[in-house]
Amino acid sequence: QVQLAESGGGLVQAGGSLRLSCEASGSALSNYIMGWFRQAPGEEREFVAAISRRSVNKEYTDHVKGRFTISRDNAKNTVWLQMNSLKPEDTAVYFCAADGAISIATAEPSYDYWGQGIPVTVSS
């Protein structure tokens, strides 16, 4: 099993940047595809970005392409989500998740382990 802990969230003005971190423990991060999801108030949780085990492949939802970047360092057991040019509609609780599958998936059920989530608020 792997435990995931997010950090780096908070309040930022529109146009600003935040970097979310997700630190894994209990199992090597290199065993998993890693993803970020988010859940806005009153909405369902949605896929944001994912990265393959060796960072060869990355996927993003169209809503964040060109603004967000996912990265990882397996030696540090950490995955990051760099969020630039933030918009009020990016306001949500952000979750990192680990997937033991072979290829990147954007659907929640594919992911085996989840962090508790961390809130991000973008003010206009």
Side-chain angles (χ1 to χ4, degrees):
Q1 278 198 345
V2 61
Q3 291 79 47
L4 303 172
E6 302 96 340
S7 62
L11 174 65
V12 64
Q13 288 189 332
S17 298
L18 279 176
R19 187 173 83 155
L20 303 183
S21 300
C22 174
E23 186 171 354
S25 60
S27 181
L29 193 72
S30 58
N31 291 330
Y32 302 95
I33 289 167
M34 296 300 296
W36 285 96
F37 289 74
R38 66 186 181 185
Q39 187 169 18
E43 303 289 334
E44 294 189 353
R45 192 154 56 183
E46 65 173 359
F47 171 79
V48 176
I51 186 168
S52 60
R53 287 175 176 80
R54 297 186 180 184
S55 304
V56 172
N57 296 309
K58 301 178 184 180
E59 288 198 22
Y60 300 91
T61 178
D62 287 345
H63 299 303
V64 308
K65 279 181 181 176
R67 300 189 298 122
F68 290 12
T69 302
I70 189 171
S71 60
R72 67 191 292 164
D73 185 333
N74 290 337
K76 296 181 178 179
N77 262 6
T78 302
V79 61
W80 295 276
L81 185 69
Q82 177 67 43
M83 306 186 295
N84 298 329
S85 302
L86 282 160
K87 304 175 181 180
E89 51 264 43
D90 294 317
T91 294
V93 177
Y94 284 72
F95 300 85
C96 71
D99 185 357
I102 294 174
S103 57
I104 287 178
T106 61
E108 284 188 56
S110 182
Y111 288 79
D112 306 298
Y113 304 102
W114 292 81
Q116 294 291 319
I118 191 161
V120 170
T121 303
V122 184
S123 63
S124 56

